[in-house]
Amino acid sequence: MKVVLPYGHEKISLEIPDKNVVGILEPRDIPGVSDPLKEIKNALENPLDAPRISEIVEKGDKIAIVVDDHTRPAPSYLMVPPILDELEKAGIPMSDVFIIFACGTHRPVKPEEMKKLLGEETLKRVPKENIVSHNCDAPDLVYCGKTSRGTPVYVNRLYYEADVKILTGDITLHYYAGYGGGPKSILPGISGRITIQHNHAMLLDPNAKMGVAKGNPIHEDMMEAAKKAGVDFVLNVVMNTKKEIVKAYAGKLETVFYTGIKLIDQIYKVPIECKPDIIVASPGGHPFDINFYQATKGLYTADLAVKDGGAIILLAACPEGIGHKVFHEWMLKYKNSKEVGDALRREFILGGHKALYLYSTVERVKVYLKTEMDPELVKNVLKCTPIEDPQQTLNELLKENSDALVCIMPFANETLPVIKK
């Protein structure tokens, strides 16, 4: 069998003996809509449990629109222009519209990235000075109170002071928040570092896992924080693995989010009969493997499916390297998952959690990494085995065990294996 997996902006092909292939573990192939712009406009014109944007706003209002940053594939260039149309219908000048990139703890969006993310039309309509990247360490963040779980909610001042607040993004699986989209545009998207750290510290809870919303303390805390910050309208999309829009939802935050995750479950939760010996996985190509901090999500899902003592061959380009200073430092500072877990319980520091997940995986299975990163960094810091030729590595593993079962995960960041009981 010949298989093709994404790798950065490219593809990698592999050949696997038919007798060894247990299956290709990937989301359901649901085609995108023929006219994505029409789908988005239809959602905006028929919102769920909310009036239309043009009925919410009034002349003189300042409008904040939150969009995803460079680490997410949400098609903001398609989503924002119809929102601007709705605002203009209501008499809102573009000088009163502000766009905020939900960067969380990520770096700011670069000027050259804005055109791709927002599209030329949006950049021509909205004043350049009105488009900003959120800074989680900004000195002027606004305190909105504490959640019931004790998370102090600090959010972007520009967002908080807006008269009408609109969130956009794509609904996805998330490996400890349960799902992305919805309230994640607020927390971590435009929240303060202390807010994000307190929320993410709950990932040690056994219910903080992929594909779980109800009872997931991280998700429930995010939703509560979003309500404290205030959300007037949401536009979210569900996409297939080709990044085509399958469905758009608009309206009230909770209705949009919980309706969307039902479709996500249908597409991205994938049953598997048994755990294979070897998994060849790709996070899904760019931007999911823009750095290793993002690519570890694909390693996490592959780890859920592979046997104890098995092997994962991960194809992750990571042109921006590890991608997180704390993650890098903790992989050097601590020697195993127990040390990292103890440190996180003493004081949760964002980025340290990635070290916990990575150590937990490399202690259980062998991880081979095809990447653009320095092989010495891969070996000595990430504790993985650097490889140049995935085909050769796979052949060697099959030579050691000719009966090994092999599973392929081309979009591991977005695939949730569900082991059949």
Side-chain angles (χ1 to χ4, degrees), residues 91-111:
I92 303 296
M94 292 297 98
S95 58
D96 286 340
V97 176
F98 299 85
I99 296 176
I100 306 169
F101 285 107
C103 296
T105 61
H106 305 154
R107 66 164 172 80
V109 172
K110 297 176 182 178

Side-chain angles (χ1 to χ4, degrees), residues 236-262:
N236 278 175
V237 297
V238 170
M239 297 188 289
N240 60 23
T241 57
K242 300 182 182 73
K243 302 307 159 210
E244 299 167 339
I245 293 175
V246 173
K247 186 70 179 176
Y249 303 97
K252 185 179 178 181
L253 171 62
E254 299 97 315
T255 309
V256 166
F257 182 75
Y258 293 120
T259 302
I261 66 174
K262 292 178 183 177

Side-chain angles (χ1 to χ4, degrees), residues 79-284:
M79 302 168 74
V80 175
I83 293 176
L84 300 182
D85 292 342
E86 287 274 312
L87 293 171
E88 286 191 324
K89 284 179 187 175
I92 303 296
M94 292 297 98
S95 58
D96 286 340
V97 176
F98 299 85
I99 296 176
I100 306 169
F101 285 107
C103 296
T105 61
H106 305 154
R107 66 164 172 80
V109 172
K110 297 176 182 178
E112 61 268 25
E113 293 171 327
M114 291 185 182
K115 182 178 177 181
K116 181 179 180 181
L117 293 171
L118 292 176
E120 288 188 16
E121 179 183 346
T122 296
L123 293 180
K124 288 178 181 177
R125 295 171 72 178
V126 179
K128 182 180 179 181
E129 62 271 17
N130 287 16
I131 303 174
V132 301
S133 289
H134 171 67
N135 176 7
C136 68
D137 297 311
D140 63 343
L141 299 176
V142 179
Y143 178 65
C144 305
K146 284 188 175 183
T147 67
S148 59
R149 289 179 169 86
T151 300
V153 182
Y154 288 89
V155 299
N156 184 284
R157 178 171 291 276
L158 185 61
Y159 177 86
Y160 183 81
E161 293 181 348
D163 299 296
V164 177
K165 305 170 175 69
I166 301 171
L167 306 182
T168 69
D170 61 322
I171 300 175
T172 60
L173 289 169
H174 189 275
Y175 68 122
Y176 54 81
Y179 298 88
K184 276 188 98 268
S185 292
I186 299 293
L187 174 55
I190 59 165
S191 292
R193 187 177 297 274
I194 188 174
T195 306
I196 299 167
Q197 288 183 337
H198 194 282
N199 170 268
H200 287 17
M202 289 182 274
L203 62 83
L204 296 170
D205 188 291
N207 288 321
K209 54 188 177 181
M210 182 178 279
V212 174
K214 186 176 181 180
N216 185 327
I218 292 182
H219 162 70
E220 292 177 351
D221 195 57
M222 286 176 173
M223 188 65 81
E224 194 176 341
K227 291 179 182 178
K228 286 188 175 295
V231 179
D232 295 300
F233 196 88
V234 174
L235 171 62
N236 278 175
V237 297
V238 170
M239 297 188 289
N240 60 23
T241 57
K242 300 182 182 73
K243 302 307 159 210
E244 299 167 339
I245 293 175
V246 173
K247 186 70 179 176
Y249 303 97
K252 185 179 178 181
L253 171 62
E254 299 97 315
T255 309
V256 166
F257 182 75
Y258 293 120
T259 302
I261 66 174
K262 292 178 183 177
L263 180 56
I264 287 292
D265 285 351
Q266 293 175 25
I267 300 174
Y268 293 103
K269 285 187 175 179
V270 183
I272 182 171
E273 293 287 347
C274 63
K275 291 190 173 187
D277 303 281
I278 303 167
I279 290 183
V280 182
S282 162

